[in-house]
Amino acid sequence: MSLNEIIPSQSSEFVELLVSSNLNFIVFYENIYPAKAILGKIMEKSDDRITILAISNPTLRALKFNMGFLNMQEDRVRIICLNSTGMSDAHLTYRYDQLDDLTEYIKKLDGTLIVLGRGLLDVATNESSKRFMLKLTDEAPEGLRIIAFTSYNAYTKTDIAQFSGMFDVALHVKKQEDIFTFGEEIYELHVIQSVVPSIKPGTSTFKVGEEMKIMNEK
């Protein structure tokens, strides 16, 4: 099955193919719940060595709460935390004033790097989050695929356009409004930018089922 055969109707298969096609992509989310379902699908379908960068202690704490749902076995996931103290129970921890050291470490990685942030880097440090992400994507080694998750509402439209330009594909996930669904929330997955010819702007819908699984909306 190819990307051409999936887009734009089937969210679950589309996310699987983004992973298997070794693309760099960013997910802007308005609600963290469907974003976690997408992250779970990435963890399920990725065969790579996975490194997760959690920006801030609250992000690391949220990650720890959800590790059981996200298929994060200790033998396949390495967690890095970026915080103010340089101390945490992650595998590695860097302070906000050690961004250069962190990027040097990332330049030696292979497999998949998943960056989790909520638009907090600009608040915690004088370093622009856009500059930091550009440095990561610009200097990443050939064997490292980067997937980022961040809050849509933390940025302006200009910010979102600039972030999107750093990745092969940019996605926006949000709750579908004004739809009566008998208590079941429906989420929209928008392709808002793509440099891949077969991936065009479009929208699919999905639900989050048991154990935070993506379910295509019929």
Side-chain angles (χ1 to χ4, degrees), residues 3 53 91 110 135 214:
L3 287 166
L53 171 59
H91 294 100
D110 57 11
K135 188 176 179 65
I214 296 177

Side-chain angles (χ1 to χ4, degrees), residues 22-75:
N22 203 36
L23 297 174
N24 292 341
F25 60 96
I26 185 168
V27 179
F28 296 101
Y29 59 85
E30 295 185 22
N31 183 323
I32 198 169
Y33 189 70
K36 289 190 292 186
I38 293 173
L39 178 56
K41 175 64 73 174
I42 292 168
M43 299 299 301
E44 176 187 342
K45 294 301 177 180
S46 178
D47 295 325
D48 289 337
R49 184 178 310 167
I50 296 172
T51 304
I52 298 178
L53 171 59
I55 298 176
S56 82
N57 282 338
T59 302
L60 177 63
R61 180 177 172 82
L63 177 64
K64 294 284 188 180
F65 276 127
N66 290 279
M67 288 184 68
F69 287 103
L70 297 176
N71 193 29
M72 292 185 182
Q73 294 91 351
E74 289 287 336
D75 60 345

